[in-house]
């Protein structure tokens, strides 16, 4: 699986990250780089509560609408092209997929939700397994709720935020596909989401913008996750 391990950050990339103001701590960026340079491996796929593996390392779950760019983000974070592929094989789309990262962090790929036609019904279906997972998962440090930077949050996203609020699980809004917006539009989108996060009791107030395509925000997200793994 170690076919595309993250390369060391070039100095110019580190400077760009600092200018972006999302983290001012080069130590944190380095800790993130080192963590995600570690080996990642598939642990389990769980379509029902009984199959959820025992809690070991600190855990981060990735949630978002289908097509939000979740697989691409997981692959960009880990520098591997195939890490999240298992989740897209037939029959696996309704399962939680667990990956171990260097024995230090567990990454959980949650099923995509919110196909256009019936957001309410699908949010309910999603809710069953998700609540089974979220309740009492003591090692779950945070849910990253991915939102496509090109669109305002949809009804299904709001429903999932309400579920996370009621389960008292800290979640952080993470924009994907930030390369598709101008800098100005991205800043406006982030501001709007910071306001939205403030309105949710379980939301972490910082919003991160990422692009799997350009690599923007990936080092900062790795750094944030390394802090949570510590
Ligand atoms: P998932 O269904 O949430 O796992 O989404 P995927 O990772 O499969 O991506 C869905 C679509 O979004 C694909 O067509 C990707 O090429 C596209 N995509 C993913 N990440 C990015 C990104 O950073 N920028 C842009 N512009 N498109 C992206």
């Amino acid at each position: 699986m170690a076919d595309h391990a993250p390369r060391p950050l070039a100095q110019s990339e580190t400077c760009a990250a600092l200018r972006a103001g999302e983290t001012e701590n080069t130590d944190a960026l380095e800790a993130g780089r080192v963590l995600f340079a570690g080996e990642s491996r598939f642990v389990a796929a769980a379509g029902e509560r009984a199959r959820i593996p025992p809690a070991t390392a600190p855990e981060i779950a990735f949630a978002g609408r289908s097509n939000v760019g979740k697989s691409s983000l997981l692959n960009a974070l880990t520098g591997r092209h195939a890490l999240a592929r298992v989740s897209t094989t037939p029959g696996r789309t309704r399962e939680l997929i667990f990956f171990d990262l260097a024995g230090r962090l567990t990454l959980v790929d949650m099923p995509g939700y919110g196909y256009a036609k019936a957001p309410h019904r699908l949010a309910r279906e999603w809710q069953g397994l998700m609540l089974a997972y979220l309740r009492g998962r003591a090692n779950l440090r945070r849910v990253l709720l991915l939102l496509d930077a090109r669109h305002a949050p949809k009804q299904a996203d709001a429903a999932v935020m309400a579920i996370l609020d009621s389960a008292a699980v800290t979640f952080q809004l993470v924009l994907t596909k930030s390369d598709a917006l101008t800098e100005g539009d991205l800043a406006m989108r982030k501001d709007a989401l910071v306001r939205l996060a403030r309105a949710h009791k379980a939301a972490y107030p910082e919003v991160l913008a990422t692009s799997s395509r350009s690599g923007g925000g990936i080092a900062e997200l790795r750094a944030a996750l390394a802090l949570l793994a510590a």
Side-chain angles (χ1 to χ4, degrees), residues 161-214:
M161 288 182 220
I163 289 169
L164 293 167
D165 274 340
S166 67
V169 173
T170 304
F171 66 93
Q172 180 166 13
L173 302 178
V174 174
L175 289 168
T176 58
K177 312 186 191 181
S178 64
D179 58 278
L181 265 62
T182 63
E183 226 172 273
D185 286 346
L186 184 61
M188 282 198 306
R189 176 73 71 205
K190 274 182 80 173
D191 285 350
L193 291 179
V194 167
R195 286 196 295 278
L196 179 67
R198 288 202 187 113
H200 283 273
K201 60 177 189 240
Y204 186 75
E206 189 186 350
V207 174
L208 285 173
T210 64
S211 166
S212 308
R213 198 161 282 180
S214 72

Side-chain angles (χ1 to χ4, degrees), residues 87-168:
S87 64
T88 57
T89 55
R92 284 271 149 99
T93 53
R94 310 302 305 163
E95 294 178 321
L96 292 153
I97 315 286
F98 293 79
F99 301 99
D100 170 72
L101 180 59
R104 291 180 52 203
L105 193 65
T106 304
L107 306 177
V108 185
D109 186 358
M110 299 176 94
Y113 56 79
Y115 288 101
K117 285 201 170 146
H120 287 309
R121 190 175 62 80
L122 280 155
R124 268 205 304 279
E125 280 174 16
W126 191 88
Q127 190 168 341
L129 177 62
M130 292 318 109
L131 281 178
Y133 164 66
L134 296 169
R135 284 200 182 119
R137 192 72 173 170
N139 59 328
L140 179 61
R141 294 285 185 273
R142 192 170 294 176
V143 172
L144 301 185
L145 184 49
L146 311 186
L147 298 170
D148 188 325
R150 299 170 303 175
H151 310 295
K154 306 255 199 275
Q155 212 174 5
D157 299 310
V160 169
M161 288 182 220
I163 289 169
L164 293 167
D165 274 340
S166 67

